[in-house]
Amino acid sequence: QSFPLSHTQETLPHTPHLNTMASTSMSMAAAPVARTSRNLKSSKFHGAKVSAVKRVAAVKVNTEVVAAGKPLPEGRKLRVVVVGGGPAGSCAAETLAQGGCETFLIERKMDNCKPCGGAIPLCMVGEFDLPEEIIDRKVTKMKMISPSNRAVDVGQTLNDKEYIGMCRREVMDDFLRKRAVSVGTTMINGLFMKLDDPGQGNGPITISYNDYEGSKVGVAKTMEVDVIIGADGANSRVAKNIGAGEYDYAIAFQERIKIPDEKMEYYKDLAEMYVGDDVSPDFYGWVFPKYDHVAVGTGTVVNKTAIKTYQAAMRKRAEEKCAGGKIIRVEAHPIPEHPRPRRVQGRVTLVGDAAGYVTKCSGEGIYFAAKSGRMAAEAVVEYSQNGTVEVDESDLRQYLDKWDRKYWATYKVLDILQKVFYRSNPAREAFVEMCADEYVQKMTFDSYLYKTVVPGNPLDDIKLLVNTVASLTRANALRSAGKAQVSM
């Protein structure tokens, strides 16, 4: 017998949506060649839509794994609910539906302008078959600006086909959700409330949610499912329900600023990254170009209460280039600083920001969100034999093992870089100085654009090591001299 889809329990008074100022990818981007699409010329800033999906590339899934679970009753498919309709949730839902699972995607705000830097690597465009209509700008250059305002141009190693895409999340997320629906996902305009049991036994998992389809106040409903994928952001309710544990987080603050056309021309293919104690004690500030405006922001972990002070300093650093601009939107959101202590319990698993998959140093999250959603869904499809066999916690842990093997080193290296180069202004000066090196630029961009560990030239690696030590030595000398002057 199939599980009952849902039944109405009662009508609730208006329930405000979860204040998930979800984290996002503030990647150390570069900038964009202005790319104006006819589909976006007439779009409004809030809730911009993308034309209907005409074609969806099939996701290749290995279904040769022999699962150990019991076969499901004839005619019933494994039922999976994905909570959260951002890149992580939408990509998970798409893969599940294509793989034969009965798939539901719950998202509260269908037209949400999620706070986000919006940078995506080149490999994501091809790997996730993203159309050019959703890319506002193609970033090919970036300026790294030190505490003393020394500017270094980055991007000279890129060829004419390489770029970093700059997107608005309201456009990208809408496209990905529609694509998931086009391959069989059932979309629910709802707010996840709780789950009764994470599925450590053999029975169904019962979730409670408020359904806002046709209702402004929300209708309380329940649904029985086999598996839950939590993709509901940094403030994840799914994570809280399985006792996933807390993590430290950064607060990112961003203003979208509409600047004059002649100022926008400067940023048409350029992004800027600012470092210094004035804009952040442990992160960086940025100016990222969008379709018809720029996003100016900063972030911090160690002094969250001063975030508006850092934002004011960031605005001051960029004021000449953004002169005459008008703030059209103010945004703030948490950025996870490390993976949660628990990412799987029973038949519930976490992906994206809910799992804590944002890199330190760069704050990148969009690609890793989409990738983790797809990888979790692939594990479900594989071990359920296309939705025909039950799965358990050991099957979901296959996704975690694969993820950790693939990306643990990336997260660790970026963690170390943040601790080394963001600890003081002299260290930041050394960081910007190193970015002028062409070999550093090539290694950095190749690793970012293609999400692979790029093997270096041994001689160049030795030269880089010597230069790094020299830069840090000078930084430490300057720091010591500064302390001595203060003590005098």
Side-chain angles (χ1 to χ4, degrees):
Q1 298 294 322
S2 298
F3 294 149
L5 173 58
S6 63
H7 60 274
T8 302
Q9 291 180 316
E10 59 180 336
T11 301
L12 296 181
H14 176 65
T15 305
H17 69 275
L18 178 62
N19 183 22
T20 310
M21 295 184 296
S23 73
T24 55
S25 100
M26 301 291 177
S27 347
M28 281 157 60
V33 162
R35 195 83 186 178
T36 305
S37 160
R38 287 183 300 173
N39 288 348
L40 296 182
K41 278 185 177 179
S42 59
S43 70
K44 295 182 179 179
F45 176 72
H46 293 284
K49 305 296 182 184
V50 175
S51 55
V53 179
K54 295 181 179 179
R55 179 181 66 84
V56 176
V59 177
K60 295 181 180 180
V61 177
N62 174 21
T63 56
E64 298 178 355
V65 176
V66 178
K70 295 180 181 179
L72 294 167
E74 186 175 352
R76 188 173 88 74
K77 289 288 190 176
L78 191 78
R79 174 174 289 177
V80 185
V81 65
V82 181
V83 180
S90 296
C91 290
E94 178 190 1
T95 302
L96 289 164
Q98 286 183 314
C101 297
E102 185 182 7
T103 308
F104 297 87
L105 179 59
I106 298 177
E107 170 60 35
R108 173 64 186 99
K109 299 210 70 179
M110 301 296 184
D111 60 351
N112 189 32
C113 299
K114 183 178 179 181
C116 181
I120 59 173
L122 181 60
C123 66
M124 185 174 180
V125 177
E127 186 176 345
F128 290 87
D129 196 25
L130 300 179
E132 286 200 355
E133 302 97 272
I134 72 169
I135 299 174
D136 287 344
R137 301 269 173 176
K138 291 187 174 182
V139 170
T140 58
K141 296 178 291 183
M142 185 168 75
K143 282 189 181 295
M144 306 286 291
I145 302 173
S146 77
S148 63
N149 281 327
R150 175 191 179 186
V152 170
D153 292 322
V154 179
Q156 53 192 306
T157 62
L158 298 180
N159 64 43
D160 58 1
K161 294 182 180 179
E162 292 179 322
Y163 63 88
I164 295 173
M166 302 301 295
C167 302
R168 285 169 291 166
R169 286 290 301 279
E170 60 269 27
V171 176
M172 169 184 268
D173 291 10
D174 181 67
F175 169 80
L176 291 174
R177 284 193 294 268
K178 284 180 176 177
R179 190 163 73 176
V181 170
S182 74
V183 295
T185 297
T186 298
M187 191 77 223
I188 297 175
N189 181 9
L191 175 63
F192 171 84
M193 301 302 290
K194 66 175 184 177
L195 58 90
D196 293 338
D197 182 296
Q200 292 177 301
N202 295 324
I205 305 171
T206 301
I207 70 165
S208 300
Y209 66 99
N210 289 344
D211 191 342
Y212 288 89
E213 190 65 44
S215 171
K216 293 183 178 180
V217 297
V219 178
K221 294 185 178 182
T222 62
M223 181 191 300
E224 291 183 332
V225 299
D226 299 300
V227 178
I228 299 175
I229 294 180
D232 49 338
N235 294 324
S236 171
R237 287 189 175 183
V238 175
K240 289 180 173 65
N241 272 253
I242 66 170
E246 297 301 324
Y247 48 37
D248 201 2
Y249 62 93
I251 284 292
F253 193 98
Q254 176 174 276
E255 294 167 328
R256 300 202 197 188
I257 303 176
K258 178 79 172 176
I259 59 177
D261 290 344
E262 62 272 18
K263 299 287 186 181
M264 198 68 210
E265 180 67 16
Y266 171 77
Y267 286 110
K268 69 178 182 179
D269 59 355
L270 172 71
E272 294 179 324
M273 173 180 166
Y274 293 78
V275 291
D277 281 337
D278 57 334
V279 298
S280 175
D282 56 340
F283 204 55
Y284 64 90
W286 63 87
V287 180
F288 287 172
K290 304 293 184 179
Y291 169 61
D292 59 357
H293 61 281
V294 292
V296 179
T298 186
T300 179
V301 176
V302 300
N303 195 5
K304 301 179 182 68
T305 58
I307 188 64
K308 289 187 177 180
T309 301
Y310 299 133
Q311 177 64 12
M314 180 58 219
R315 218 166 35 237
K316 182 73 174 174
R317 294 274 294 270
E319 68 176 347
E320 183 177 341
K321 299 165 191 172
C322 296
K326 178 182 178 182
I327 297 174
I328 57 178
R329 188 175 178 86
V330 178
E331 309 166 323
H333 56 287
I335 301 177
E337 279 293 291
H338 56 79
R340 288 188 186 269
R342 173 182 292 161
R343 290 168 286 163
V344 172
Q345 185 181 32
R347 283 173 278 129
V348 181
T349 192
L350 303 174
V351 296
D353 289 356
Y357 294 151
V358 176
T359 60
K360 288 191 176 183
C361 192
S362 68
E364 181 188 2
I366 295 179
Y367 174 81
F368 293 110
K371 186 69 172 180
S372 63
R374 176 175 284 183
M375 286 175 65
E378 286 175 344
V380 172
V381 170
E382 288 180 0
Y383 288 92
S384 70
Q385 295 186 17
N386 293 89
T388 62
V389 173
E390 295 176 353
V391 296
D392 59 22
E393 183 172 322
S394 66
D395 298 322
L396 296 182
R397 287 196 176 278
Q398 298 298 318
Y399 135 67
L400 283 190
D401 292 344
K402 185 176 180 181
W403 176 270
D404 290 343
R405 286 195 303 271
K406 189 175 182 68
Y407 295 115
W408 180 88
T410 297
Y411 283 84
K412 193 63 178 177
V413 167
L414 290 174
D415 184 16
I416 293 171
L417 287 176
Q418 180 167 336
K419 290 175 180 176
V420 171
F421 290 111
Y422 288 1
R423 73 187 191 278
S424 69
N425 274 354
R428 295 181 186 101
E429 291 285 353
F431 173 59
V432 173
E433 178 184 328
M434 287 175 55
C435 289
D437 186 277
E438 186 173 319
Y439 183 64
V440 171
Q441 292 187 27
K442 177 174 174 53
M443 296 295 287
T444 300
F445 270 105
D446 284 356
S447 297
Y448 173 77
L449 291 177
Y450 303 107
K451 289 294 172 283
T452 58
V453 178
V454 180
N457 180 294
L459 291 177
D460 286 331
D461 285 342
I462 293 173
K463 178 183 175 182
L464 175 59
L465 177 61
V466 171
N467 289 341
T468 301
V469 172
S471 294
L472 289 174
T473 300
R474 286 194 295 275
N476 286 329
L478 289 171
R479 190 178 185 187
S480 298
K483 288 182 178 179
Q485 289 177 357
V486 170
S487 63
M488 291 173 64

